Amino acid sequence: GNPFNSILKAGQMFPGIKSPWSFTLNLSKFLQANFNIFLFKVLPFQLSRLYMRFLGRIYFIFRKKEKALIKKTQKYVFEDTYSPKALNSLYHKTFRGIIDHYHEKLYMAYSNFPKLQKFFINGINIPNEDQLKAEFAKGKGIILVTAHYSAVEGLPGALVSRGYPVTLILRFQTEQLKDSLVERSKVYDIHLVDIDEGNVFMIAVNALKNGRILITECDEFDAWRTSKRYPVSFLNQKMDGDRTLEILRKRSKSALAMALMQRDGNKRYTLNLTTFTTEESNTVSVGKASLNILEKAITKNPAHWYQWSDFGEKLELNSQIQNNEKQPESLEEEKISSVS
């Protein structure tokens, strides 16, 4: 028999499993079980990362449809440029990158806070911060566009720990996560806005008019307010672009910048900034310019992007995948070297 069945039935370490054959939670909620949160408070960074990779292996054994969509989307995008062997290698690295992202997310929320504060300063390098300082000094706020790429969870902390006022719009997956982040945000000048509460757009505009940095993501496909007036090409796929950033720019008249986090290894990160001049921001679509920068980053390191599943749904590739999640593979059959 499967040695994990007793754990799965208990449902304490792996919530959302009603029986060995039924799995209901998404990855974020699955990893935020109480026991896992406790371990984040006591384990060092590298040990907690290995533990998360183990849990990720368990998760993708049961979520076969989600795993298949990620692989199908990458094959759809890269089949003409990657060999079958290179694609298989990419799949493994991508699953590892997805789990590492959630590890970083929980590390920011639940690890030892004094050590985390030192990490924001010593572990995250901002090589061209002078450009950000110059834009911030204008006092008109900054629309800081980012993406579901690499260690994005460290972006707000890297900024507020250096004295920048930040407004962040997000959706909390659990109340426990919300409580932890809200409590930690009290130390810094950061305003966390729940996307499900109130008029988020006006909150964003007011934050910018008050000279704050607003962090938003350009690849939240299911939240796009699409318009044929803003066509975009992203990863060789043509689609109607999102007009939200265009409206926000016109209403706020704020500066624009793009920020992507980069993993350097050994608990070291680089925050790569690209600022747009006033002339550029008046003539170039914000969404298009942001997606172009993201596309270059993905082309260089495709395993660092963790929106492959959502992008596959955007391309309607999920409709081509049969739902075969009901019979999970055994640990011996499933070889996800990426998250082990």
Side-chain angles (χ1 to χ4, degrees):
N2 190 328
F4 289 95
N5 277 353
S6 59
I7 298 176
L8 300 180
K9 289 177 181 178
Q12 295 177 352
M13 187 179 294
F14 308 110
I17 303 177
K18 297 178 181 178
S19 73
W21 318 114
S22 178
F23 196 98
T24 59
L25 291 185
N26 63 27
L27 182 56
S28 181
K29 291 181 180 180
F30 172 68
L31 295 176
Q32 290 185 63
N34 289 335
F35 180 72
N36 301 338
I37 293 173
F38 166 75
L39 289 181
F40 260 93
K41 296 178 179 179
V42 297
L43 288 180
F45 184 88
Q46 296 298 346
L47 280 180
S48 60
R49 170 154 286 186
L50 290 174
Y51 177 66
M52 284 291 106
R53 289 180 180 178
F54 167 73
L55 292 189
R57 183 181 180 188
I58 300 294
Y59 175 86
F60 280 112
I61 287 173
F62 283 87
R63 297 287 288 205
K64 293 171 65 178
K65 185 178 178 182
E66 182 178 346
K67 175 190 165 192
L69 179 58
I70 293 170
K71 294 172 70 172
K72 187 174 184 66
T73 306
Q74 291 190 319
K75 183 177 180 181
Y76 183 83
V77 172
F78 295 117
E79 189 171 24
D80 292 339
T81 55
Y82 277 54
S83 68
K85 183 178 181 180
L87 273 175
N88 282 326
S89 176
L90 174 59
Y91 300 152
H92 296 326
K93 292 177 181 178
T94 297
F95 287 114
R96 183 176 61 194
I98 291 171
I99 301 304
D100 285 353
H101 154 71
Y102 282 104
H103 170 261
E104 289 151 354
K105 180 177 184 175
L106 300 188
Y107 178 76
M108 304 300 168
Y110 301 115
S111 65
N112 180 281
F113 193 43
K115 290 183 179 179
L116 179 64
Q117 291 175 292
K118 293 179 181 178
F119 162 76
F120 286 144
I121 296 295
N122 301 323
I124 301 177
N125 180 38
I126 309 179
N128 50 349
E129 187 186 354
D130 57 328
Q131 297 179 21
L132 185 69
K133 288 181 178 179
E135 294 295 336
F136 180 72
K138 296 176 182 178
K140 294 184 177 181
I142 300 175
I143 302 172
L144 187 61
V145 185
T146 188
H148 295 79
Y149 185 85
S150 191
V152 65
E153 306 294 341
L155 174 58
L159 296 177
V160 295
S161 61
R162 289 166 171 82
Y164 297 101
V166 169
T167 295
L168 178 64
I169 299 172
L170 69 169
R171 178 178 283 115
F172 299 99
Q173 288 290 335
T174 67
E175 284 299 316
Q176 192 166 7
L177 177 65
K178 180 177 181 179
D179 292 343
S180 178
L181 291 177
V182 168
E183 183 63 29
R184 293 186 169 203
S185 69
K186 293 177 181 178
V187 177
Y188 299 112
D189 188 0
I190 181 169
H191 181 201
L192 301 178
V193 181
D194 191 333
I195 197 171
D196 296 319
E197 297 178 6
N199 189 335
V200 174
F201 182 78
M202 288 310 302
I203 293 175
V205 172
N206 290 333
L208 291 167
K209 289 186 174 181
N210 287 325
R212 302 179 66 84
I213 295 177
L214 174 74
I215 299 178
T216 184
E217 293 175 318
C218 65
D219 58 349
E220 195 74 67
F221 301 112
D222 60 354
W224 276 17
R225 299 168 66 183
T226 57
S227 172
K228 294 185 181 300
R229 293 178 57 193
Y230 301 104
V232 295
S233 176
F234 180 62
L235 296 175
N236 296 319
Q237 310 302 313
K238 297 185 184 302
M239 62 190 81
D240 295 335
D242 179 26
R243 61 191 176 95
T244 306
L245 289 175
E246 314 302 331
I247 298 171
L248 190 59
R249 174 186 61 174
K250 291 177 181 177
R251 289 289 298 271
S252 66
K253 303 188 186 305
S254 297
L256 298 166
M258 181 82 178
L260 292 176
M261 294 286 290
Q262 172 185 309
R263 296 188 185 104
D264 299 325
N266 196 27
K267 202 180 174 183
R268 297 286 178 177
Y269 300 84
T270 298
L271 199 171
N272 294 311
L273 284 166
T274 304
T275 56
F276 304 105
T277 65
T278 303
E279 292 75 16
E280 286 175 333
S281 64
N282 286 334
T283 58
V284 178
S285 162
V286 184
K288 182 181 292 187
S290 301
L291 288 175
N292 285 343
I293 294 172
L294 175 60
E295 183 179 60
K296 290 178 182 178
I298 293 173
T299 302
K300 185 177 181 181
N301 291 301
H304 285 200
W305 194 47
Y306 58 96
Q307 277 291 80
W308 290 108
S309 179
D310 291 64
F311 190 49
E313 291 182 1
K314 177 75 173 174
L315 301 178
E316 299 183 347
L317 299 178
N318 54 324
S319 62
Q320 303 173 25
I321 298 176
Q322 293 183 350
N323 187 350
N324 57 356
E325 287 187 274
K326 293 186 178 181
Q327 297 296 327
E329 302 157 300
S330 69
L331 284 175
E332 290 74 25
E333 293 170 341
E334 181 63 12
K335 301 295 185 182
I336 308 178
S337 62
S338 58
V339 292
S340 59

